[in-house]
Amino acid sequence: MATAFLAILKLILWLLIVPMGIGILCNGILPLVRRTIGITFLLGYLVYFAVFEVIAIPCMLHYVYNAFSYCCRYSMWALTILTAFGVLKSVQMLKHEGMSYLSLFPGETHATAHELLSPRSDPRMLKMSYSLESKIYWGVFFALVVFQMVMAVVMSSFDGDDAYYVVESLLAQQADAMNTILPYTGTTTILDKRHALAVITMWIAFIARMSDIHATIVSHSVIPLIVIPLVYLVYVEIGRVLFRRRQEIIPVFMIIVSALMIFGNVSIYTPATFFLTRTWQGKALVSNLVFPLILWVFLWMLEDAKRTNIFGKIAEAETESYAEFKEANRLRRMSPWIVLGLINMFSGICTTMGIVFGGGLIALLTLVLLIFARNFRVILGAICCVIPSAIYLLIYLKL
């Protein structure tokens, strides 16, 4: 019993506390209205995956023996240091600005009478109070999410790909090998070039080793409990952009999305099928997490472009403070592209095809953004954010 409780505490540490700590450390790059708890958590996970990728791939290519031990050791120290700095930043901000979570997440601020009446503020970017009806809809949505999480665990499905992907994680945990043992036979082989760079299986093994839980249990029973809420968190942020003027519609939008996911098993190839039955696989993460993340970032930039066109330079400021005006003006142009670059790194972790399809989606949405923003600098931003993908492809070609 004590061992199980300790394992749960370790899972909470590595799946909740660490990404939140990293997110708090890095959320300074975000404009004030984007520094919400949800976006901070998403940013923390993106940096989390990026750090793991930067460590895991060199360890896999450089070390012949005990490669996974080196990967775990370096990743553990790097992530622990980042989390410690995040906690230190939290303590300093809370001490300096008062014991309020708004000092860490100013994007959670609700519109007050001052913002509603001031001609210099844009209250639509702030949160509005939900009506009783909207709160009921939120309750229905959360019940649907809990239902999906429970069913994903108690009705966990198994398919042929588990014989490869889950076993890769298990071999890393137990044999200390990174893609150098053939999962089908257990014999030693050369580095599996096709799957080697998609280190999501190694990350699952990392979580399994850090929590002392069998990799198969982590894949089938733990990862869905994290990925399912994470995916819906992205859709919540998409809804906040789409329904900025009528925020009470967001829970209705989320109920529709969750219903489409629950009843989306119309074929074995739909994203909804992968989302609930093969949640732990890289292709499921690309179709249900990476693509919505890319869409959200471009909606973010389209919203900023629209606000700038309507309100002029004043729209660059999130409040009436001149210091915040300068900060928003500087960071708003760069932060979505930085996040998009991290998303590209995450797509490489999931599957090599995520690089190709993710890059194509970015190219298409960049064209749309160019039409609305009328600024050729968006092309430069798009090129910069796919640099990690280009490096990834060069490594793949070299292998």
Side-chain angles (χ1 to χ4, degrees):
M1 186 67 180
T3 303
F5 181 72
L6 183 60
I8 293 174
L9 290 180
K10 291 178 180 178
L11 287 175
I12 293 174
L13 171 64
W14 291 103
L15 294 176
L16 296 178
I17 297 177
V18 168
M20 181 56 77
I22 297 174
I24 293 174
L25 176 64
C26 300
N27 73 351
I29 68 172
L30 300 171
L32 292 179
V33 295
R34 309 291 179 185
R35 295 182 201 173
T36 63
I37 297 175
I39 295 179
T40 298
F41 190 64
L42 288 171
L43 178 63
Y45 253 112
L46 291 175
V47 177
Y48 189 165
F49 285 124
V51 170
F52 184 80
E53 180 182 18
V54 169
I55 294 174
I57 292 178
C59 287
M60 179 174 54
L61 299 179
H62 178 70
Y63 294 108
V64 178
Y65 303 104
N66 306 116
F68 186 65
S69 291
Y70 286 108
C71 174
C72 289
R73 187 182 309 162
Y74 299 149
S75 298
M76 180 187 68
W77 280 109
L79 296 170
T80 301
I81 291 172
L82 291 175
T83 305
F85 277 114
V87 173
L88 181 62
K89 177 185 174 182
S90 303
V91 173
Q92 290 178 341
M93 292 183 66
L94 291 173
K95 184 178 180 180
H96 178 69
E97 302 182 27
M99 295 298 292
S100 172
Y101 79 100
L102 290 180
S103 60
L104 299 176
F105 312 108
E108 298 292 342
T109 305
H110 282 69
T112 63
H114 177 72
E115 280 81 18
L116 292 173
L117 295 175
S118 174
R120 294 186 59 194
S121 65
D122 184 8
R124 292 175 303 173
M125 296 301 294
L126 301 175
K127 289 191 172 182
M128 302 295 179
S129 298
Y130 290 107
S131 63
L132 177 60
E133 183 182 6
S134 296
K135 292 178 181 178
I136 294 174
Y137 285 138
W138 275 120
V140 173
F141 165 66
F142 286 128
L144 290 174
V145 173
V146 171
F147 170 75
Q148 292 174 67
M149 293 168 64
V150 171
M151 296 302 291
V153 174
V154 301
M155 300 293 291
S156 182
S157 62
F158 297 85
D159 56 64
D161 282 346
D162 286 354
Y164 195 97
Y165 297 112
V166 176
V167 176
E168 281 284 18
S169 301
L170 183 59
L171 288 171
Q173 181 188 21
Q174 297 186 351
D176 210 5
M178 298 179 72
N179 296 287
T180 55
I181 296 179
L182 191 63
Y184 296 136
T185 62
T187 57
T188 304
T189 182
I190 60 174
L191 185 68
D192 180 9
K193 301 175 183 178
R194 179 187 171 191
H195 303 95
L197 298 185
V199 292
I200 189 66
T201 54
M202 298 299 105
W203 178 75
I204 293 174
F206 170 75
I207 297 299
R209 177 168 289 192
M210 291 296 103
S211 59
D212 296 320
I213 300 177
H214 197 281
T216 306
I217 297 175
V218 172
S219 296
H220 285 268
S221 300
V222 176
I223 298 302
L225 299 181
I226 293 297
V227 172
I228 291 175
L230 209 59
V231 169
Y232 284 120
L233 181 57
V234 177
Y235 280 103
V236 168
E237 298 302 331
I238 290 175
R240 283 179 176 166
V241 178
L242 293 177
F243 307 107
R244 184 71 71 183
R245 293 176 180 269
R246 299 185 60 188
Q247 297 184 27
E248 68 276 4
I249 297 180
I250 297 176
V252 180
F253 168 72
M254 294 308 302
I255 291 175
I256 295 173
V257 171
S258 61
L260 291 174
M261 290 295 189
I262 293 173
F263 298 102
N265 186 26
V266 295
S267 96
I268 62 174
Y269 301 110
T270 62
T273 299
F274 279 78
F275 175 57
L276 294 178
T277 63
R278 305 165 74 173
T279 316
W280 52 91
Q281 295 180 8
K283 55 178 76 73
L285 294 175
V286 166
S287 60
N288 292 285
L289 192 54
V290 172
F291 293 164
L293 277 169
I294 294 174
L295 177 61
W296 165 63
V297 171
F298 276 95
L299 286 172
W300 165 4
M301 290 189 284
L302 285 167
E303 183 180 51
D304 286 350
K306 182 178 179 181
R307 292 179 65 227
T308 302
N309 291 335
I310 294 175
F311 294 97
K313 289 188 176 181
I314 291 179
E316 295 292 338
E318 310 303 339
T319 71
E320 298 188 31
S321 166
Y322 180 70
E324 292 173 353
F325 174 89
K326 291 180 65 179
E327 179 191 18
N329 189 43
R330 181 177 64 255
L331 292 177
R332 177 173 273 180
R333 293 192 300 266
M334 296 181 57
S335 57
W337 298 112
I338 295 173
V339 174
L340 196 58
L342 293 171
I343 295 172
N344 270 284
M345 296 185 70
F346 177 49
S347 67
I349 283 181
C350 297
T351 173
T352 52
M353 294 307 295
I355 291 291
V356 178
F357 290 117
L361 182 60
I362 289 173
L364 177 62
L365 294 177
T366 299
L367 178 61
V368 176
L369 179 62
L370 180 62
I371 295 173
F372 279 88
R374 299 177 184 178
N375 189 338
F376 284 97
R377 284 183 296 182
V378 301
I379 298 177
L380 178 61
I383 293 173
C384 291
C385 77
V386 298
I387 289 177
S389 300
I391 297 174
Y392 181 94
L393 289 176
L394 288 175
I395 296 174
Y396 184 80
L397 293 174
K398 185 178 180 180
L399 291 177

